[in-house]
Amino acid sequence: MSDGRARGDSLLFLTDAQLRRGIEAMFFAYRGFTADPDRILDQYEYGRAHHRAIHFINRWPGTTVNNLLAILGVTKQSLNRVLRTLIEDGLVESAIGTRDRRERHLTLTEKGRALEAELSEAQTARMRDAFRRAGPEAVAGFRTVLEEMMDEDLRRLFEGVA
Amino acid sequence: MSDGRARGDSLLFLTDAQLRRGIEAMFFAYRGFTADPDRILDQYEYGRAHHRAIHFINRWPGTTVNNLLAILGVTKQSLNRVLRTLIEDGLVESAIGTRDRRERHLTLTEKGRALEAELSEAQTARMRDAFRRAGPEAVAGFRTVLEEMMDEDLRRLFEGVA
DNA sequence: CAGTTTATGTCAGCACCGTTGACATGAAGC
DNA sequence: GCTTCATGTCAACGGTGCTGACATAAACTG
């Protein structure tokens, strides 16, 4: 209904049909994206929430709980449940801040880095294959569209942290 | 990116850093991708599972329960819980098959189509904006990479159904 | 026709991970 | 010293995955 046929070919990529294909592509691709790490997490009796925490602690070692909350977009109660088990299991270390003693600075232990590496390897393997088959130009387009789809604040976060 | 640089540069898009950026882009973009419909679903006391069912029933009216199970990749118990409420609430109609009376053919009612349209509108609005800002070439790349990231069987499903 | 397989529905129970609300502690800041 | 902030924790609930078991009706098969 809202396709721009009258305006010529240049907007054909914005037809409802194309947009629906985009939506379904996101849905199916995200399933693939999480499938490999999910299988590994099962073996350790962890879930996706643990993966996300581990990923971002690895990314920004020494980050605070509040930072992590903002990145993950969950409540502190949710995060804490996950964080507690990771600390108990010796994957994450929580250090009292020196400048501000209220803060807890989170880092991965050796054991935590090992699991991070295992998860990361599984996930990047699939992405590497996809990137290689798609080629650099497609990858650039992929990232451009994804960035445009993010919420404003998340995009700034994403770009700012490179 | 299609400049004639030395071959050494051509694989820079496959570095670990680039792949990690790709992973995070997927994570943040998927959040944006689901945010708008999630807000609407909350108002109706439905969840993402309902959205997915509605989406694919709308996509393939008359599809059977078994088909839907394959597409959604969940157990029949999970799907049934969702489907039951949708039928009870008068959004979905379940019709006994004529050729094979064991099958149930699922279609959206008027009310179901209305919710589908509302959800779809919210989700395509964001994607349309993202597509428009990114441009047709980026969109092509986006879809290429996503297809490459899908599992084999899902890709066939995705391509087959256009 | 009898036996098997298929499509579907349903009950019960469990796990994960999101939520809200309430409350506690210790540290920082005015 | 009062307030605010960062964090942790308890309790309860909701949505949506899962497994396992069982039921029914229809189709298929020998």
Side-chain angles (χ1 to χ4, degrees), chain A residues 64-66 76-77 80 84 102-104:
Chain A
T64 64
V65 173
N66 251 1
K76 67 176 175 174
Q77 293 93 327
N80 202 257
R84 202 187 319 164
R102 290 173 303 181
E103 295 178 339
R104 296 297 125 92

Side-chain angles (χ1 to χ4, degrees), chain A:
Chain A
M1 169 203 150
S2 59
D3 61 348
R5 236 176 317 210
R7 310 245 243 119
D9 281 354
S10 64
L11 291 176
L12 279 182
F13 73 109
L14 291 175
T15 60
D16 278 5
Q18 294 296 308
L19 292 164
R20 275 173 192 277
R21 264 187 85 79
I23 286 172
E24 288 177 6
M26 273 299 276
F27 172 65
F28 290 130
Y30 199 77
R31 281 247 292 275
F33 172 69
T34 53
D36 303 323
D38 280 354
R39 272 188 289 271
I40 294 168
L41 290 160
D42 273 354
Q43 297 168 16
Y44 291 89
E45 307 205 295
Y46 290 135
R48 267 185 215 179
H50 299 86
H51 185 188
R52 291 196 279 265
I54 287 172
H55 175 94
F56 286 108
I57 294 172
N58 177 67
R59 188 74 142 78
W60 299 317
T63 189
T64 64
V65 173
N66 251 1
N67 273 341
L68 207 49
L69 285 176
I71 295 159
L72 297 175
V74 297
T75 59
K76 67 176 175 174
Q77 293 93 327
S78 256
L79 176 57
N80 202 257
R81 186 163 37 198
V82 163
L83 224 40
R84 202 187 319 164
T85 71
L86 290 175
I87 292 170
E88 277 168 6
D89 295 352
L91 297 169
V92 168
E93 227 167 23
S94 168
I96 294 176
T98 50
R99 220 188 40 212
D100 185 334
R101 292 175 49 82
R102 290 173 303 181
E103 295 178 339
R104 296 297 125 92
H105 296 279
L106 305 168
T107 47
L108 294 184
T109 63
E110 194 62 41
K111 195 173 165 191
R113 278 193 296 277
L115 178 54
E116 197 285 328
E118 188 180 354
L119 293 167
S120 180
E121 171 51 31
Q123 200 159 35
T124 54
R126 183 186 290 252
M127 191 157 290
R128 188 180 302 115
D129 290 348
F131 276 17
R132 187 184 293 124
R133 285 193 294 262
E137 290 183 34
V139 170
F142 163 77
R143 277 244 301 274
T144 300
V145 173
L146 290 189
E147 286 185 39
E148 294 293 346
M149 273 178 43
M150 294 177 197
D151 275 336
E152 189 60 40
D153 49 344
L154 287 180
R155 178 161 57 246
R156 263 182 284 116
L157 207 153
F158 176 77
E159 284 165 353
V161 174

Side-chain angles (χ1 to χ4, degrees), chain B residues 126-142:
Chain B
R126 184 186 290 254
M127 191 158 288
R128 187 181 302 115
D129 289 348
F131 276 17
R132 187 183 293 123
R133 285 193 295 261
E137 290 182 33
V139 169
F142 164 76

